[in-house]
């Protein structure tokens, strides 16, 4: 189970602290350096191939760094299977699907996670980023034109209020 990843020698594995590698990888990934993070996650993964944390974050960084979406989603799916009650694994899986252009699969992953964890703020926010956006109110202006942005906010509030009144 190497997922097409380069092998690390047994001598170098003995010298690696997988927890430190993982923490460094998370730090780099959060700061927007998926390629640099990928190497740290690979080292941690080589030490403990069945650790769902290493699998999930390796998949996430592999997708963003090398655009190997099939391998990335496979790693993230395996992590979810190994530890279903970890919210971050579901977020990582949905992120990989969304970044790969598999919007429907990402929404399905979010819906599954919402069933398990309820309306967790991180899930709701992340799902909102993936959902299809409405068309601009003034199509002859750019989406980011201030009139479209402000009118869009008003439309959002109006639809939100209408939705609450119906329930």
């Amino acid at each position: 189970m190497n997922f097409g990843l380069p092998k690390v020698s047994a001598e170098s594995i003995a010298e690696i602290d997988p927890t430190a590698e993982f923490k460094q990888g998370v730090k780099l990934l959060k700061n927007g350096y998926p390629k640099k993070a990928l190497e740290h996650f690979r080292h941690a993964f080589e030490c403990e191939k069945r650790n769902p944390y290493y699998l999930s974050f390796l998949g996430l960084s592999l997708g963003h760094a090398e655009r190997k979406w099939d391998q990335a989603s496979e790693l993230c799916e395996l992590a979810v299977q190994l530890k279903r009650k970890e919210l971050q694994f579901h977020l990582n899986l949905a992120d990989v699907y969304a970044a790969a252009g598999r919007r429907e699969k990402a929404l399905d992953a979010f819906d599954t996670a919402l069933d398990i964890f309820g309306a967790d703020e991180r899930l709701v926010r992340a799902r909102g980023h993936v959902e299809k956006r409405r068309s601009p109110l003034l199509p002859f202006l750019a989406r980011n034109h201030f009139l479209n942005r402000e009118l869009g906010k008003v439309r959002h509030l109006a639809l939100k209020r209408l939705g609450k009144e119906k329930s």
Side-chain angles (χ1 to χ4, degrees):
M1 180 172 64
N2 74 352
F3 295 97
L5 303 172
K7 291 281 185 190
V8 179
S9 68
E11 301 85 43
S12 63
I13 288 176
E15 299 169 8
I16 294 173
D17 177 6
T19 306
E21 290 289 325
F22 177 74
K23 287 179 180 178
Q24 184 63 27
V26 170
K27 182 179 176 184
L28 288 166
L29 194 59
K30 281 185 179 180
N31 290 324
Y33 299 103
K35 285 185 181 181
K36 291 179 181 179
L38 181 58
E39 290 308 312
H40 293 281
F41 291 132
R42 280 183 173 151
H43 292 148
F45 170 77
E46 284 299 322
C47 293
E48 296 178 37
K49 293 187 189 294
R50 297 293 291 177
N51 185 317
Y53 292 91
Y54 301 166
L55 287 166
S56 182
F57 281 89
L58 176 62
L60 183 64
S61 63
L62 181 65
H64 285 285
E66 297 182 359
R67 309 191 69 71
K68 294 182 178 178
W69 301 117
D70 290 335
Q71 289 178 345
S73 62
E74 191 176 331
L75 287 163
C76 291
E77 288 166 359
L78 183 57
V80 167
Q81 290 170 6
L82 290 172
K83 193 163 185 179
R84 189 166 174 79
K85 294 288 186 178
E86 180 60 50
L87 174 65
Q88 188 62 50
F89 297 166
H90 292 271
L91 288 167
N92 289 354
L93 177 59
D95 184 348
V96 167
Y97 285 149
R102 301 176 191 161
R103 194 174 72 77
E104 288 303 317
K105 284 196 89 160
L107 292 172
D108 289 343
F110 281 125
D111 291 341
T112 300
L114 286 166
D115 289 343
I116 296 169
F117 301 103
D120 182 274
E121 180 184 332
R122 292 183 296 167
L123 279 172
V124 172
R125 188 175 345 113
R127 190 181 194 289
H129 288 294
V130 175
E131 283 182 315
K132 191 170 185 171
R133 297 169 75 179
R134 292 183 182 94
S135 59
L137 282 161
L138 303 174
F140 53 88
L141 295 175
R143 176 179 290 282
N144 64 355
H145 189 278
F146 81 96
L147 284 175
N148 269 329
R149 285 196 325 263
E150 296 305 315
L151 289 171
K153 290 175 188 176
V154 170
R155 173 175 60 186
H156 175 75
L157 289 173
L159 291 173
K160 192 174 178 180
R161 287 213 174 130
L162 286 173
K164 285 185 179 179
E165 288 176 10
K166 288 180 183 177
S167 22

